[in-house]
Amino acid sequence: MLYQFIVFFPLFGALIAGLLGRFMGKHGAEYLATFFLCVSAAFSIVAFYEVAMLHHATTVRLFSFLDSGDLQVDWSLRIDTLTAVMLVVVTGVSALVHVYSIGYMEHDEHRPRFFSYLSLFTFAMLALVTSDNFVQMFFGWEGVGLASYLLIGFWYTRPSANAAAIKAFIVNRVGDFGFALGLMAIFFVFRSLDFTTVFDAAAGKAGQTFNFAGYQIDILTTICLLLFMGAMGKSAQFLLHTWLPDAMEGPTPVSALIHAATMVTAGVFLVCRCSPLFEQAPIALAFVTIVGATTAFFAASVGLFQNDIKRVIAYSTCSQLGYMFVAAGVSAYQAAMFHLFTHAFFKALLFLGAGSVIHALNDEQDMRKMGGTYKIIPWTYILMLAGTFSLTGFPVFFSGFWSKDAIIESAFAAHSSVGTYGFVLLTVAAAMTSFYSWRLIFMTFHGKYRGRDLHDLDHVHDAPQIMLVPLVILALGAVIAGWPLLSNVFGNFITEDQSEFWHGAIAQLPAHNALEAREMVPAWVQLAPTAMMLVGFLIAWYFYMERPELPAQLAARRGPLYLFLYNKWYFDELYDAIFVRPAKWIGRQLWKIGDGKIIDGFGPDGVAAGVLDWTRQIVRLQSGYVYHYAFAMLVGVVVFATYFVMAGGIGK
């Protein structure tokens, strides 16, 4: 029953908080939902120990989920090392976000609804990562999409929050359309949607093709590209990334939950789970690498000049997800999962730390109106420093150093054109990551206070303990989660020997040995990320500590490069011109012409209105006077007589 409790406890918390929250007192719903999540997190640690350390992988069948002809699907819990890692990440971060939210949402009157949505989101994500078949995975996949819509638009009285929720929902539907087509193709090819059945038969389908429009298309390449299209939407990869920064309209705990460890990592989990398919589709793997590297570079470049503290961290998330996909694209799935694991700690820490800053500064999010606060909110400052050191890859002592460098080295060790492409862009992105991360620290905590009134700082204070405790725990993970000395505790994620930790949960062909070959890369490759980190730090120090007046002067010039990056490569404007405006124009034409003039004009305003007018005229004949009826009869007799006379005359 251990695994059932892990998955369904958050659902119980969501139902109770959502249905009975208003009757449970001021804090009843949030305490109960948080309790269920904490129990689920504790059980997940036990499950991780049993599966990853004691090698007790298992599959638990719960009930028949779908039975329609050849399509028979059970709801089963697939508990292997890949699942165990995700259970710890999802329930651990979610439990800490629940605890943090008790303090952060203290003054919100809709707390029961908020905690219900949080727990529902966690349940959907757990259903996704424990799935034993593609249908169950799709259920969880769409579940997190629904819950994210509810959470991003939680403050539904704000038009911007509603717009952001709708944008996230629609963009994810684009990716999910590809995912759904991929599932249909899998069933058509393998006659099953069960993971074990499909993965065992994958090698036998390698190289097989199907005819499409006169061309022979590789089957597994097509399936993998369609699946990855779903991953691009859920993990906000290049071209389908536009929803992620706007998701900041939700409460800050939502940002931590969605961007750190749950929804956005679902795409990475999907690719790693489907590694038996991707290993047989080299073109798809190359595409994953290209998209991941492009996303890492693009998002890092956009984050350079953003001023909203949460948006900077959001673009950082988008960039770090690109790192994970590059690792998966060069078949270093273990490195991708390692970075996913460490990233969950330091990115949740940064988001919740940003929430503490916003909470202290009366909901201010513009870094240009901050500064000079490191002595006033010292705990938040120190904890965010730990997250920043880990994100930028400060050597040896922080987890991000170990996981991110493993990806960069693996990309180089792949010795392929796409691997080199990934290595170059990830190395450059490392410098940009360091710059915008330290820019955030310097603008938020150092220098002079740039708010409206210096007396505003008189009321600024550090977050309450219920918000700081989760930050301390996350900071501990951000520091030590990647240490090699603790590999026996956290698991040796990046071992090339499958029997040591992953035990077959990840498939990898012998020829795809980038992870093993990374140990042999030149010293300059190993030092490159650290060197770029130092370059980014020094540039940020010069601009925001030594010459703090310089950034404003450069921004005032509004040069083309600055505008290009500040406006996010103009993707929103481009999509507005290509998709939004034409869609609105088509909708307006269908409304005004199709519905208004044609349908209404011919139907309700045409034939129906004419019949009604004629009916009203005829009704007037029903006057009730006998002489009117007699006159009508006389007219009728005359008409009939005339007809018969004329007909008879014509006949003669």
Side-chain angles (χ1 to χ4, degrees), residues 6 53 60 94 117 145 152 204 214 225 268-269 272 301 313 324 366 377 391 405 411 415 436 504 514 557 604 609 648:
I6 293 173
M53 303 303 167
V60 181
S94 183
Y117 291 169
I152 295 170
L225 289 177
V268 179
F269 172 79
C272 292
S301 69
I313 304 174
M324 300 176 204
D366 192 335
I377 48 176
L391 170 61
D405 282 23
H415 297 300
Y436 66 65
R557 295 179 182 178

Side-chain angles (χ1 to χ4, degrees), residues 65-338:
F65 187 43
L66 186 63
D67 189 349
S68 177
D70 293 338
L71 182 59
Q72 298 180 351
V73 177
D74 292 333
W75 187 298
S76 301
L77 306 180
R78 185 186 184 97
I79 311 297
D80 56 13
T81 309
L82 195 61
T83 303
V85 171
M86 293 301 296
L87 288 179
V88 172
V89 168
V90 173
T91 60
V93 172
S94 183
L96 294 174
V97 168
H98 273 70
V99 174
Y100 178 93
S101 299
I102 294 175
Y104 190 87
M105 302 295 288
E106 171 68 25
H107 303 293
D108 196 295
E109 60 181 337
H110 301 295
R111 290 190 306 277
R113 178 165 60 89
F114 179 76
F115 278 84
S116 177
Y117 291 169
L118 281 184
S119 296
L120 178 64
F121 185 99
T122 308
F123 163 72
M125 191 66 192
L126 291 174
L128 191 160
V129 301
T130 59
S131 56
D132 189 44
N133 55 74
F134 285 101
V135 175
Q136 186 180 336
M137 175 179 277
F138 192 71
F139 172 85
W141 195 271
E142 295 303 309
V144 294
L146 168 64
S148 67
Y149 169 80
L150 297 173
L151 287 168
I152 295 170
F154 176 75
W155 287 319
Y156 56 84
T157 56
R158 301 179 182 179
S160 58
N162 286 326
I166 293 172
K167 185 176 184 179
F169 195 80
I170 292 176
V171 173
N172 272 273
R173 297 291 72 73
V174 175
D176 293 352
F177 177 71
F179 190 19
L181 289 178
L183 301 193
M184 297 175 194
I186 289 173
F187 183 74
F188 179 78
V189 172
F190 296 97
R191 307 310 299 173
S192 174
L193 290 171
D194 179 74
F195 284 157
T196 301
T197 303
V198 173
F199 295 161
D200 288 346
K205 299 294 182 180
Q208 295 187 15
T209 61
F210 68 96
N211 184 278
F212 180 77
Y215 295 93
Q216 294 299 314
I217 309 297
D218 188 85
I219 292 175
L220 291 184
T221 298
T222 303
I223 290 175
C224 290
L225 289 177
L226 290 172
L227 293 177
F228 182 63
M229 183 176 175
M232 288 176 63
K234 200 66 71 182
S235 295
Q237 292 300 282
F238 188 67
L239 301 180
L240 294 180
H241 65 276
T242 53
W243 68 269
L244 192 68
D246 290 358
M248 297 298 99
E249 291 294 336
T252 299
V254 172
S255 302
L257 188 63
I258 292 178
H259 294 72
T262 52
M263 177 173 164
V264 294
T265 60
V268 179
F269 172 79
L270 169 66
V271 174
C272 292
R273 172 62 79 196
C274 296
S275 56
L277 297 176
F278 279 88
E279 284 295 281
Q280 306 295 334
I283 295 177
L285 283 178
F287 184 75
V288 171
T289 306
I290 293 171
V291 171
T294 304
T295 303
F297 177 84
F298 156 76
S301 69
V302 173
L304 294 175
F305 301 122
Q306 298 302 307
N307 296 311
D308 186 307
I309 186 171
K310 290 172 62 177
R311 285 181 178 266
V312 173
I313 304 174
Y315 278 109
S316 172
T317 299
C318 191
S319 180
Q320 295 303 305
L321 289 166
Y323 276 82
M324 300 176 204
F325 279 113
V326 169
V330 297
S331 297
Y333 306 100
Q334 301 91 330
M337 291 301 300
F338 186 25

